Amino acid sequence: MSRLFDSLPGDDGLPGPERRLAVLALILGTLMAVVDTTMVNIALPSMAADLGVSASRVVWVTNLFQVVCAAFLLVFAALSELVSRRRLYAAGVALFTLAALGSALAPNLETLLLFRALQGLGAAATLSIGPSLYRSIFPSRLLGSALGLSALVVAGGYAAGPTIGGLVLSVASWPWLFALHVPLGLCASWLAWRALPREAGRRDGFDWPGALCSVAMLAGLFLGLDGVGHGAPAWQVLAWLALSLLSAVLFLQRQRRARHPLLPLSLFAERRFTLAVSASGLAFVGQGLAFVALSFLYQQEMGFTPLETAWMFTPWPLAIMLVGPLAGQLADRVNPSLLSSGGLVLLLLGLAALAGLDAEAGVVDSLWRTALCGLGFGLFQPPNNREMMASVPRERSARASGVMSTTRTVGQSLGVALVGAFLAAGAPVQATLWAGAGACALSLAASLGRVSLAGRAQREARRGEPLRASSDPD
C-alpha cells in the first residue's frame, strides 16, 4: 500500500504526500454511496411500519435512489469538464450529505422520497467521475494499483452495508441510518475541496438536448428492467422500454452532430476501450443475476433464513477485497487483459459450480463456490477497469469514467431483470445461474479479443511511446 504514495522522477499525477488526503476523500465519498444501497434495504420493513405505508410503496426508497443515480451518471461525467471534477465531486458529496440529513428528518414517505432522489443525484456526481480522479491523482505506473484500491473500497462497502444496517437497527430507529452519513459527508466534502487536483473547466457549451435524452434513455431502461424483475404489468414494462429505445435513437443522432457531445462516440473507436466496456457489462450481468438468484436458492430451496443467507454471501465480497488490490498491482506489470481473462475463467467456473448445487448441499459446498466467484471477479475487475481508463486520452478520462459507472449499473440491473423473467417463466433457479455463466462466457470472449492489443500498448508505454488511442476531443 505504501508504494501508492511514493514519488519517482517524471511521475504524473499528484506528488506522493498529497495523494493521501485526496484518496481519503474518494474513499469516504464512495463508501457512503455504496454502503447506503445495501444498508437501507435492511430497514425497509421498519420504514413501512413506522410510516404506515405498504411494502410495495416503501421499496421506492431504494428504487428512486437507484433510478436517479443511474440516469445522471453520463450527464455528470460530461458536466465535470465544465465545472471541474474537484468542484463537482465536492458538491456531489455535500448534496448527498444534506439530503441524508433531510431523509433522517423526513416526517412522511413523500418527503423521504424527495430527499432520496436528491441523494441519488449526489451519488451520481461522485460515482460518475471517481475512477477518472484516481487517474488524475496517481501516476500512470500505479493506475492499476489505484483502481485495485477502488475495487477494495466498493467490495468492502457492499459487504459492510447489511451488517452496519443491522447493528444500527438493533439499538436505534431507521432515521439514524441516514444521520450516520452527516459527519462523514462533511469530512469528505471538506477533504475533496482541499485535496483533489485543481483543474480549469471548459468555457464553452454543454449538450443539454443530449443530457435530456440520456436521462430519459437510462431512466426508462432502469424502470423497465426493474419492472421485469418485480413482475410489473407487461404494458408498463414495454412503455418504459419503448421510451428508452426512442430516447436512445435521439441520443445517438444528437451525439453525431453536437459540437460538444455528452458522450463522444469516438471513444468507442478505440477497440481496447470498447472490448473492456463489453466485458465489464456482461460480467456485471452475471454478478447481478447471481446475487438475486442465490437469495432464492438459499432461502426457498435450501431452507436458510434471511440472516443466514446474508452470511452465505460474504465470501464473494471478502474475496474481492483480498484479491482486488493484488490484481491491480499485477496489472501495472503484466498484460491486464490476461489477468481479466483469468478472473473470468474463475468466475465462470464458480457460477457453473453454484448452478450444480441442490437442496441437500451443505454450507461448505456453497461457501467455496461463492468464494471462487469472488476470487474471479476480484481478479477481473481492477485490470479491466485499468484497460478502460488507460485506453483513452487523459482529457477524456471523465467521460470514460461515466461510461464505466453506467455500464456497471445497467449490467447489474439487467441481471436482476433476467432473474425475474426466468422465475416468471417457471424456470428453476439453477437455470438462471447457468444464464449468468453464459454472460460470463461472452465476457470472456470480449476480454480475450483485446489481449494482443493490451500487450502492445503496455510495451509501447514502457518504451515511452504514445498509446494508440483516439485523441479526437469530440
Side-chain angles (χ1 to χ4, degrees):
M1 182 69 70
S2 61
R3 65 187 291 267
L4 286 172
F5 306 105
D6 293 336
S7 294
L8 294 178
D11 273 352
D12 49 350
L14 294 178
E18 295 181 21
R19 295 174 205 154
R20 297 182 185 275
L21 289 180
V23 168
L24 183 57
L26 294 185
I27 289 175
L28 288 177
T30 302
L31 273 178
M32 286 194 303
V34 171
V35 168
D36 183 274
T37 304
T38 53
M39 181 176 66
V40 171
N41 285 339
I42 298 293
L44 291 180
S46 300
M47 292 180 187
D50 192 31
L51 297 173
V53 297
S54 65
S56 61
R57 292 186 66 199
V58 82
V59 295
W60 279 99
V61 173
T62 296
N63 286 357
L64 188 60
F65 174 88
Q66 295 175 334
V67 168
V68 172
C69 182
F72 281 87
L73 288 169
L74 288 178
V75 173
F76 281 127
L79 189 62
S80 69
E81 293 186 359
L82 283 179
V83 302
S84 87
R85 286 173 292 182
R86 169 176 159 269
R87 290 190 179 96
L88 181 66
Y89 193 92
V93 174
L95 176 60
F96 182 93
T97 303
L98 291 174
L101 179 61
S103 296
L105 300 175
N108 52 53
L109 180 64
E110 291 73 18
T111 306
L112 177 58
L113 291 178
L114 171 63
F115 283 112
R116 287 296 285 168
L118 293 176
Q119 275 191 280
L121 276 177
T126 60
L127 296 176
S128 64
I129 57 174
S132 71
L133 282 167
Y134 277 99
R135 186 176 182 184
S136 296
I137 292 168
F138 290 93
S140 300
R141 63 182 178 84
L142 295 175
L143 180 58
S145 300
L147 293 175
L149 174 62
S150 175
L152 170 66
V153 171
V154 171
Y158 276 119
T163 302
I164 294 173
L167 290 174
V168 171
L169 292 176
S170 67
V171 298
S173 57
W174 61 264
W176 284 99
L177 294 177
F178 299 111
L180 283 177
H181 291 307
V182 176
L184 290 176
L186 292 174
C187 180
S189 184
W190 176 79
L191 283 172
W193 186 259
R194 180 180 184 276
L196 290 181
R198 298 173 182 270
E199 55 191 12
R202 198 184 70 228
R203 294 298 180 184
D204 40 12
F206 182 74
D207 183 17
W208 291 108
L212 291 174
C213 290
S214 172
V215 169
M217 172 181 67
L218 292 171
L221 177 62
F222 197 96
L223 289 168
L225 294 177
D226 182 73
V228 172
H230 290 88
W235 67 266
Q236 189 178 84
V237 173
L238 291 175
W240 286 122
L241 295 179
L243 171 65
S244 178
L245 180 60
L246 175 61
S247 300
V249 172
L250 295 175
F251 177 74
L252 291 175
Q253 291 178 347
R254 171 67 187 178
Q255 299 315 288
R256 292 191 179 99
R257 65 175 187 269
R259 181 182 176 190
H260 296 290
L262 190 82
L263 177 62
L265 300 182
S266 58
L267 283 175
F268 298 96
E270 172 54 50
R271 286 188 61 208
R272 286 169 57 209
F273 178 78
T274 301
L275 290 171
V277 169
S278 301
S280 178
L282 289 164
F284 274 105
V285 168
Q287 178 178 259
L289 187 151
F291 275 16
V292 178
L294 287 175
S295 296
F296 286 96
L297 178 65
Y298 290 151
Q299 294 182 55
Q300 294 187 356
E301 297 195 14
M302 300 177 70
F304 291 111
T305 66
L307 181 59
E308 290 170 336
T309 297
W311 285 109
M312 295 290 284
F313 275 107
T314 53
W316 194 309
L318 288 178
I320 296 176
M321 293 171 65
L322 177 67
V323 175
L326 178 61
Q329 291 181 28
L330 289 174
D332 290 325
R333 301 169 185 170
V334 301
N335 189 325
S337 294
L338 283 177
L339 292 174
S340 294
S341 299
L344 288 170
V345 170
L346 295 180
L347 179 59
L348 175 57
L349 292 175
L351 288 175
L354 284 170
L357 282 175
D358 54 35
E360 287 74 35
V363 171
V364 175
D365 289 332
S366 175
L367 290 181
W368 74 260
R369 289 167 166 84
T370 309
L372 182 60
C373 289
L375 288 172
F377 203 86
L379 184 59
F380 159 76
Q381 191 181 11
N384 192 70
N385 287 351
R386 188 191 192 283
E387 272 291 274
M388 273 192 273
M389 296 307 300
S391 61
V392 300
R394 183 176 291 273
E395 63 271 15
R396 282 292 176 252
S397 60
R399 307 297 183 94
S401 179
V403 172
M404 181 192 302
S405 301
T406 303
T407 300
R408 178 184 66 240
T409 304
V410 172
Q412 288 175 328
S413 302
L414 180 57
V416 173
L418 286 174
V419 175
F422 271 78
L423 295 180
V429 174
Q430 287 81 356
T432 65
L433 290 168
W434 281 115
C440 288
L442 294 175
S443 177
L444 177 59
S447 184
L448 290 172
R450 37 89 193 236
V451 169
S452 60
L453 296 172
R456 185 169 66 246
Q458 198 166 51
R459 290 191 297 271
E460 291 172 351
R462 286 172 181 166
R463 292 196 300 263
E465 298 175 12
L467 297 184
R468 295 174 184 174
S470 171
S471 59
D472 184 353
D474 293 327

